[in-house]
Amino acid sequence: MTMGCAVGVACLAAVLSIPTILDAHDARSAAREPETELELKDGWSTSDTIEHTYEDAYGSQPLRRVFVARSLSGPAPVPPGIEGLPAAGEVIVSPRLREVLTEEPGVAGLLPGKVTGTIAPEGLAGPDELYAYIGSSHAQVPDPQRVDRFGSWYSRFEVVDESTLGILRFTLGSVVLLPLAVFLSVCARLSAESRARRLASLRLVGLSVRDTLRVSAGETVTAASLGALFGIGGYLVVNEIMARIGLPGLHWYPADGRPEATTLIACLVVCPTLAWVVGRRGAQAAALTPLNVRRSAERKPPRLYGTLLLIPGLGVIGGYCVLSVLGRDPSGGSANNLLIPAAVLLTGAGLVFGLPPITMWLARRLAGTARSLPLALAMRRAEVEPGASLRVVTGLVLLIFATSLTQGVLIELDQVSRRTAPVQEYQVPRDGLTALQVEDLKKTEGVLAHATTMTSARNSADDGTASSVFAVVATCDQLIAFVTSSSGCKDGKVLRLRNDELMGSVHAKPARSVSFHLRSRDLMVTLPNEQVQVRGFDPSAFGADVLIPPSLVPADELPDDSELVLVSKSDPQTVRTVLDGIGAIAPTAEVEPVGIVVSSLAQLTVIRSLLAAGMVLGLVISVAAFVVSVADRAMERRGQVAALVLLGARAGTLRVVQCVQVVLPLAVGLAAAVVTGWLAESSYLITGGGAVHWDWSGLPLLLACCLGVLLAAGVSALPLVRRHVDPEHIRRD
């Protein structure tokens, strides 16, 4: 009970501290937000403090630069983390940005001035943030905003936005808190059962019912409270370590992860209370019917009431799936925000409480038809004690069920946070890039192809208007990598590009001559009649009118206003790899990932990290519950095993019986979890309104996990059977 409570409370404290960590990030970010009092005079002068914030990308990380000009005639507001605003020519940077400046001196081009200070932790959202205050003159600040004070009620740069945070909380609750409640209940119930015979003995020698319950409550609460203290202490140690290591996309200060008062109350009060409530049931049986406990009376069969919870849960989930099959779109309704979580919770509860009666029914049927002695023994034991399957496999069943839901959340967030096209484009201006940097960018890990876009000189058209023609310098093979289809392309020739889905320049007409200003000469191109029919992605950097072969425009002749365009696969991991590669090669280049926002990509990384951490916690809890329960069942069956040994049962037979007793309810529960979890995931995707409704690609992973769990469970159950006969075990029965 003590060790189980320690593990459970440590996991509970970790889950409850995640919102605290995110809130601490957002609170410090909001405290430095510049604010303007609207009732003051409009405009600004040199007596005002003004600022302009740039949000750039350094690889796959956001880089935020605040250009600020402080008041020349009065006191200036000061954001937290610094003693005063920098003067013109001075720069104050975050510790992580100072490290980047040491590693990549080229980044100094983004920070005009001399670094004179470092931002303290209270002025940063997190220890890995790239942030800088750049002192400037009033005339140098573009599009300025007058600053009257620093500090706002909200942050423009939230770690996770509010709508996504609600989804994250619900998913973490399903992945961690549900298995945790089961785990703590299992520990409390096993503790109560192990003490039931002793409590019954106390009752038989004259202790009153009330005093017997008090003895049980005192033991339970003491053990659970001691375990809760151990759990809090263990979490504090882990928090100090993890705060220095961090998760992908999320780093925090150790103080951010220390439990708040509400977390301490939940861990030190709620968990012992839960243990007392669960343990009281076993204590009541020992106090009210002590002879049944001492004589191991036959237990009552499980009731079917819990199974009825599956009806409304699966009804809602299945209804949404049927609507999708019929071609109707049920997304967008406010009722979905209530129905889907309620259906998921009812379905999960139905899996927990419906497993014992289902296992009993199936065991009775198999025992009646089995011709194998090990199978018959295992099924009769499962029929007599179906409730034991609840505490053995519930944690793992809930974990698989929640894993399906987690896959759906990640798919939905992935659709929102990135473009749906299978490729991702990156625009990098060639201005400021050396020839060596350009060649290295083309060879960046993850890049599939490259091309160059440029714009012609503004020529006078026949109607007297000035216009430009957009061109792409690429081969036919390079062009194919940027579009979904291409026909009519010929290498070595100038060709017009036609995309029926996009409206090109009306001035890109056949026989018209256009001029491109190269570095040392002008290139005159006559637009031909021949054209390439293409179909591109949306959005795309290729709204070009003309395809020019690279042989006509050498790399050293490309104009400075041209842009290098790279393309890669669009999965988030590849996008981050390419962005990090570009940042390492050209740290000062202004990279534009077409169709996505770097801050959204960073947010998706944080969500993935938190969900992965939740899955690890859920796995730890579920495996702990399984190990404790299987070991307890082996201890519980020592008398039965000893009797079977005296009757001549072989060791192999007993091990097969033990293995089947564990594997059968686990297989039933995992099969139900895969089916119901996949339906719950599909209903979530359907109501989300995304392009993906059915996660067929996630099923093989779930099935492989289930197979691995079954094999591990079967193997782990074998060593728990011994042939040693202890007469004490037989005498008790």
Side-chain angles (χ1 to χ4, degrees), residues 78 92 99 197 204 233 278 295 331 376 383 399 469 596 632 638 681 700:
V78 180
I92 303 177
E99 294 177 4
R197 294 177 63 88
L204 289 174
V278 175
R295 294 174 177 174
S331 63
E383 178 186 355
L399 182 65
V469 173
I596 64 173
D632 176 76
R638 286 178 301 179
E681 175 194 6

Side-chain angles (χ1 to χ4, degrees), residues 454-517:
M454 60 182 184
T455 306
S456 71
R458 295 179 65 84
N459 300 323
S460 298
D462 297 336
D463 56 2
T465 61
S467 63
S468 298
V469 173
F470 300 95
V472 54
V473 181
T475 63
C476 291
D477 290 338
Q478 291 171 336
L479 178 67
I480 291 175
F482 288 89
V483 297
T484 59
S485 62
S486 171
S487 61
C489 186
K490 299 178 182 179
D491 279 322
K493 298 183 65 176
V494 177
L495 300 169
R496 288 188 301 115
L497 292 174
R498 179 175 178 179
N499 188 345
D500 295 333
E501 298 179 353
L502 299 176
M503 182 177 294
S505 175
V506 296
H507 304 287
K509 299 178 180 179
R512 183 180 177 185
S513 297
V514 294
S515 176
F516 295 90
H517 295 312

Side-chain angles (χ1 to χ4, degrees), residues 41-42 128 238 255 258 336 403 411 513 524 539 711:
K41 60 185 176 66
D42 296 330
D128 65 330
V238 173
R258 289 168 189 157
N336 297 338
T403 300
I411 291 174
S513 297
M524 188 65 67
L711 291 176

